[in-house]
Amino acid sequence: MMRLSVSVWIWYNYTMSVKRKDLLIPYGVSDFRRIRNEGYYYVDKTQYLARMEERDSFIFFVRPRRFGKSLFISMMENYYDLNRKKDFRKLFGDLWIGRHPTRNANRFMTLKLDFSKVGGAGCDLQDSFEKHIALMLDEFVFRYSRHYDDAFKADFSGKTAEEKIAAVTARSRTIGIPLYLIIDEYDNFTNQMIRASGVTDYREITHGAGFYRNWFKKFKGEFDRIFMTGVSPVTLDDLTSGFNIAANLTLEPEFNAALGFSAGEAVKMFSDFKGTGRFSRGDPKAIVESIKPWYDGYCFAEEKVGAECVFNSDMTLYYLKSLVTKGEPPKNMVDANIKTDYDKLKTISDLQRTVFKMDPVEALPMTEQTVTSGGVQFPLVESFPAEAIVKPENFRSLFFYYGLLSMAGRKMGATVFSVPNACVEKQIYGYLRDRYFPPAKSFLDWDEAAQLFAYEGRWREFFELVAKNFEETTPIRGGISGEVRLQGYFQCEMAHLPQFITCPELEMSHGNCDFFLFPERTYYGDVPHSYIVEFKHLKKGARKTEADAQRKEGVAQLKAYAKDKKVPALAKGTTLHLLLVQYRGPRMIRCEQISEKKM
């Protein structure tokens, strides 16, 4: 079997017959054949097929949504499908796998199942599931009709889904053509079912004689190769005894960059597009560096922490599209289309509050504590049953699998997880902000105060408005919950300042500063102010002496942070303000500037 050198570099390609000026951006396009036939740009990920073949015949691979899974699956289908053999040179000839084809190229009849198309509950769910399988098998027999005689086809149409699987696999063995099963969104309808119906119904389909579990037993016994993908490992654990996945490649270092774009891939892509459309200005390498805080920062393997992160492919293409079509960056760095990703946060929240009967007021602080602490440590769980999702390590692991947290470093021998980038941060705090504020509340005053804060350095008015807004939100409960809610609220307000990159808990030589706000220079390069904010909180009954001692500590911290070597580069060209904000219980008791300095 072919071995791959660890020094293999990513090959880049676009259809050579298409002139440079006609390059198309594959934003929202997940059909591999369309990309290759119509002149869309393609970042070559084909070398990962060879790596997967070396590992096992049954592969499981999880990645967050909008990370290029559908395109990867489409590429797989075209590579392994025997019907595409005549198109191999056209589709793959100048890609990595075209130069290094494996023995499995165009060797299989492929069946793709997409469980995002399955829905319902109880008997309706099983019916929907089996109808989808039957429909895909009908399409399968139509595609490979030359391998099935008329008698087979006539008999096939009246069979159940289970009978159709048996008939297709039996014929495959007879004619000696192996089968490749590709399952997309394997966990989609089970996750939806957990939210809608709870763990009881879910267990009925995945345990004992449950139909979902039994179907996976059939898959394992009938297909020569299987590839499964989704966004979480929840269902996998419940299916393990029925479907013993041989290789879970989700956290393997050599597959860290299998989806998304590496920095090198992004620079090459921007270089190739410069000179097309209205994209005529700027150094591609500098542009990629400037969008790193927004779209980069995803790491899926402990061994790659600090060495290799990847960009979200959809968001990077969104930015590139604006450069090519408008000649400038998008005004909103967060693509409006990713707002559907709020469902991930809603899923996690609903699992806590409705399925597991957690108190609604206490469930939100658990979310806040996970995503607002700057860096959290927990044992990452590779798979877990649905009923165990409420355990802290499992619950927090979902944040990682959904792409809301990423591996960011190591501390005391354990992995540190943090929010990967500003784009995810904006989504998270937008969601939390909606939870904090009544739907009817207007943010017009806040928008005006935020603009004055950014352009005129009027920090006091802004923080006084933040304090007033907090007092008008849902009443808080108890000590820890109250402080966490206040911190979460405070961070939401900071993260919603569009003029700034907000870095919470930024690591500095003298500790972690609570907030460093410096201009978002891509679109707000004229912002003349930056801020280091130290946030302090006292219990409601704390005395003045405690407040004074805490203030003294905060002042010393701010002065130490200002000496850090990161500060001149981040705050370059602005007036840097060192601010101390102190709360006693839910009320702000101090908001003062310690110093300001032109950087």
Side-chain angles (χ1 to χ4, degrees):
M1 186 174 290
M2 183 182 69
R3 301 297 302 174
L4 293 179
S5 167
V6 296
S7 63
V8 168
W9 181 245
I10 308 293
W11 290 87
Y12 305 93
N13 178 77
Y14 53 85
T15 304
M16 301 305 292
S17 61
V18 178
K19 293 182 180 179
R20 180 181 169 84
K21 66 183 179 62
D22 294 326
L23 278 178
L24 300 175
I25 300 170
Y27 177 69
V29 182
S30 58
D31 184 331
F32 179 76
R33 265 191 297 152
R34 182 184 174 195
I35 284 176
R36 298 293 287 162
N37 289 333
E38 297 181 15
Y40 285 93
Y41 192 92
Y42 178 65
V43 175
D44 191 353
K45 297 292 184 179
T46 58
Q47 73 274 21
Y48 292 101
L49 296 182
R51 296 184 187 185
M52 287 179 177
E53 286 187 23
E54 291 183 345
R55 300 300 295 271
D56 203 271
S57 296
F58 306 104
I59 301 295
F60 177 78
F61 189 65
V62 159
R63 279 296 182 268
R65 295 194 191 283
R66 304 184 65 83
F67 236 86
K69 289 196 299 295
S70 295
L71 177 57
F72 190 86
I73 285 175
S74 180
M75 181 266 290
M76 287 183 72
E77 286 185 276
N78 282 276
Y79 179 73
Y80 290 114
D81 186 356
L82 60 85
N83 278 354
R84 299 296 166 201
K85 190 170 184 176
K86 65 181 183 302
D87 299 325
F88 182 83
R89 184 175 295 277
K90 183 178 181 181
L91 295 176
F92 295 99
D94 52 0
L95 300 181
W96 189 95
I97 204 74
R99 296 183 177 96
H100 310 84
T102 67
R103 64 182 181 86
N104 286 317
N106 302 126
R107 179 171 169 252
F108 297 86
M109 292 191 288
T110 62
L111 172 65
K112 178 190 171 184
L113 302 176
D114 181 358
F115 290 159
S116 68
K117 303 182 186 306
V118 175
C123 294
D124 290 338
L125 176 61
Q126 181 172 354
D127 184 57
S128 174
F129 181 84
E130 294 182 352
K131 279 182 177 178
H132 175 69
I133 293 177
L135 180 64
M136 292 300 99
L137 285 168
D138 288 341
E139 190 270 341
F140 175 90
V141 169
F142 177 79
R143 277 193 293 123
Y144 299 108
S145 61
R146 70 181 185 275
H147 299 291
Y148 300 97
D149 55 39
D150 291 340
F152 180 96
K153 295 173 188 176
D155 185 52
F156 189 78
S157 62
K159 292 180 179 295
T160 65
E162 188 171 350
E163 290 169 339
K164 288 182 178 184
I165 281 281
V168 162
T169 54
R171 176 56 63 93
S172 169
R173 288 190 292 271
T174 299
I175 62 180
I177 300 178
L179 299 174
Y180 203 129
L181 174 63
I182 298 173
I183 301 177
D184 192 15
E185 301 279 0
Y186 92 102
D187 56 341
N188 179 73
F189 73 91
T190 51
N191 287 336
Q192 295 298 320
M193 187 175 183
I194 292 172
R195 283 180 56 190
S197 305
V199 175
T200 303
D201 287 351
Y202 174 83
R203 285 186 59 83
E204 289 178 0
I205 71 170
T206 58
H207 289 68
F211 76 87
Y212 192 49
R213 190 185 194 202
N214 284 338
W215 267 102
F216 276 81
K217 286 182 182 179
K218 294 181 179 67
F219 294 154
K220 179 69 180 286
E222 301 290 3
F223 290 86
D224 298 87
R225 284 184 173 269
I226 300 175
F227 178 84
M228 288 173 52
T229 187
V231 296
S232 75
V234 177
T235 306
L236 178 66
D237 194 76
D238 291 320
L239 298 174
T240 298
S241 59
F243 184 85
N244 296 310
I245 296 291
N248 182 355
L249 304 182
T250 302
L251 307 178
E252 292 289 326
E254 65 177 308
F255 295 95
N256 185 56
L259 299 182
F261 299 148
S262 69
E265 289 170 335
V267 171
K268 179 65 166 61
M269 180 171 65
F270 277 75
S271 297
D272 288 341
F273 271 98
K274 187 175 180 181
T276 67
R278 296 186 178 182
F279 180 18
S280 60
R281 296 176 298 163
D283 173 35
K285 188 173 182 180
I287 292 172
V288 170
E289 193 65 28
S290 73
I291 64 174
K292 268 179 171 286
W294 285 96
Y295 309 140
D296 192 22
Y298 297 93
C299 182
F300 302 101
E302 287 189 15
E303 296 85 347
K304 294 294 185 178
V305 170
E308 180 183 70
C309 286
V310 293
F311 286 75
N312 179 291
S313 50
D314 275 21
M315 292 304 300
T316 306
L317 292 172
Y318 160 77
Y319 184 93
L320 176 62
K321 182 181 179 182
S322 182
L323 286 185
V324 172
T325 58
K326 300 177 182 178
E328 62 182 18
K331 183 173 182 180
N332 188 346
M333 294 291 285
V334 182
D335 183 1
N337 289 328
I338 69 168
K339 289 185 177 180
T340 55
D341 291 351
Y342 280 14
D343 286 344
K344 292 183 288 191
L345 290 159
K346 191 173 189 303
T347 296
I348 293 174
S349 185
D350 287 351
L351 284 170
Q352 296 175 85
R353 291 198 305 257
T354 60
V355 175
F356 301 105
K357 310 303 180 186
M358 291 181 67
D359 184 281
V361 177
E362 299 304 321
L364 191 57
M366 187 174 181
T367 300
E368 294 166 4
Q369 199 166 34
T370 300
V371 298
T372 64
S373 58
V376 294
Q377 289 179 280
F378 54 86
L380 184 65
V381 183
E382 290 194 30
S383 65
F384 46 88
E387 61 265 30
I389 204 170
V390 75
K391 291 182 179 179
E393 64 271 22
N394 296 342
F395 166 73
R396 287 180 171 176
S397 292
L398 274 186
F399 277 91
F400 168 76
Y401 290 113
Y402 285 172
L404 303 174
L405 291 177
S406 183
M407 296 180 183
R410 291 188 66 80
K411 185 177 181 180
M412 298 179 66
T415 303
V416 177
F417 297 86
S418 67
V419 177
N421 52 52
C423 183
V424 174
E425 185 180 74
K426 296 292 184 185
Q427 294 177 67
I428 291 173
Y429 296 123
Y431 173 83
L432 289 177
R433 197 186 203 198
D434 289 342
R435 293 292 177 132
Y436 286 133
F437 289 93
K441 185 173 178 61
S442 170
F443 292 105
L444 293 178
D445 291 343
W446 187 94
D447 291 338
E448 182 180 354
Q451 190 163 7
L452 295 175
F453 176 68
Y455 285 98
E456 297 185 14
R458 289 165 61 174
W459 46 269
R460 186 179 300 279
E461 291 98 318
F462 177 74
F463 286 107
E464 286 177 348
L465 182 62
V466 169
K468 178 184 176 183
N469 285 348
F470 180 73
E471 288 190 49
E472 295 175 3
T473 62
T474 306
I476 58 177
R477 297 183 184 179
I480 295 178
S481 174
E483 181 175 354
V484 170
R485 182 173 289 277
L486 177 56
Q487 276 186 303
Y489 177 86
F490 199 82
Q491 192 155 334
C492 280
E493 295 282 26
M494 298 296 97
H496 267 81
L497 291 163
Q499 304 90 349
F500 295 95
I501 296 289
T502 303
C503 295
E505 295 292 331
L506 182 65
E507 186 174 350
M508 294 184 162
S509 54
H510 299 281
N512 289 39
C513 76
D514 286 336
F515 299 97
F516 196 145
L517 291 84
F518 55 91
E520 193 293 291
R521 301 181 193 278
T522 303
Y523 202 84
Y524 297 95
D526 59 341
V527 170
H529 299 276
S530 57
Y531 299 89
I532 296 179
V533 184
E534 186 65 17
F535 174 84
K536 295 294 184 183
H537 182 268
L538 293 162
K539 291 182 179 179
K540 190 173 182 179
R543 294 171 295 183
K544 184 179 182 301
T545 53
E546 294 177 76
D548 291 342
Q550 192 184 65
R551 176 193 177 277
K552 184 177 180 181
E553 176 189 40
V555 170
Q557 288 174 311
L558 282 166
K559 291 179 177 179
Y561 298 150
K563 296 176 182 178
D564 190 273
K565 61 183 180 181
K566 297 185 184 72
V567 172
L570 296 177
K572 183 179 179 180
T574 69
T575 298
L576 175 66
H577 304 262
L578 304 183
L579 304 180
L580 178 68
V581 178
Q582 190 177 31
Y583 276 74
R584 181 190 285 123
R587 290 183 173 79
M588 186 172 72
I589 60 171
R590 179 175 280 115
C591 179
E592 63 176 307
Q593 179 171 272
I594 305 305
S595 70
E596 66 177 62
K597 180 182 178 181
K598 183 69 177 177
M599 303 299 291

